[in-house]
Amino acid sequence: MAGRDTTWDMGDRVVHLTDVIRYLKKRRRRVHRISARALAKMLGRRLETSRSRIMRADISVPIIVEVDRETGRPVVILDGNHRLAKAISLDAVIHMRVLYSDERDMLFGE
């Protein structure tokens, strides 16, 4: 699944992307701007994405990045890998919202 249909099957329940977005909005989590290349470098791994999906990606939509609250370092892209890949190819700035690791653990029940 892709986009707003994205889900994570946790075994005993399913977490929907809309649940994560609702959580971030409820906490009035602001949208940050960061160089896509800088973010990719911080993540330290190659993005595995489909070229056709990269070309269709709308980089104006904020991505969701899990960030370790203690270190402030990004851990993983929860939503928006194709948008990030497109922004990297364009050497653009990407918009992102932060979900901290402890919040992810609470939301995902881990």
Side-chain angles (χ1 to χ4, degrees):
M1 298 189 154
R4 295 247 182 208
D5 294 331
T6 298
T7 59
W8 296 271
D9 186 346
M10 305 312 295
D12 60 337
R13 66 195 173 100
V14 174
V15 178
H16 296 266
L17 177 59
T18 54
D19 298 329
V20 176
I21 292 169
R22 192 175 307 119
Y23 177 87
L24 294 173
K25 284 184 179 179
K26 186 176 179 181
R27 275 144 191 82
R28 298 178 188 208
R29 200 60 52 86
R30 72 182 187 96
V31 175
H32 301 270
R33 293 172 39 93
I34 186 170
S35 157
R37 289 187 184 188
L39 177 57
K41 187 174 181 179
M42 284 187 258
L43 288 166
R45 62 183 157 281
R46 183 175 154 86
L47 295 172
E48 299 295 328
T49 57
S50 157
R51 183 83 180 137
S52 63
R53 287 188 63 194
I54 291 170
M55 298 312 294
R56 292 191 316 261
D58 178 359
I59 65 171
S60 70
V61 176
I63 65 174
I64 299 174
V65 180
E66 178 185 341
V67 172
D68 182 283
R69 192 184 295 272
E70 290 181 22
T71 65
R73 304 282 304 172
V75 176
V76 68
I77 304 296
L78 289 177
D79 177 60
N81 283 299
H82 295 95
R83 283 172 269 154
L84 178 58
K86 184 172 186 175
I88 291 167
S89 73
L90 298 172
D91 196 20
V93 168
I94 192 81
H95 299 90
M96 71 174 198
R97 282 202 169 108
V98 171
L99 178 72
Y100 291 103
S101 297
D102 58 319
E103 295 172 319
R104 181 190 180 280
D105 293 347
M106 184 267 310
L107 280 170
F108 287 70
E110 295 182 349

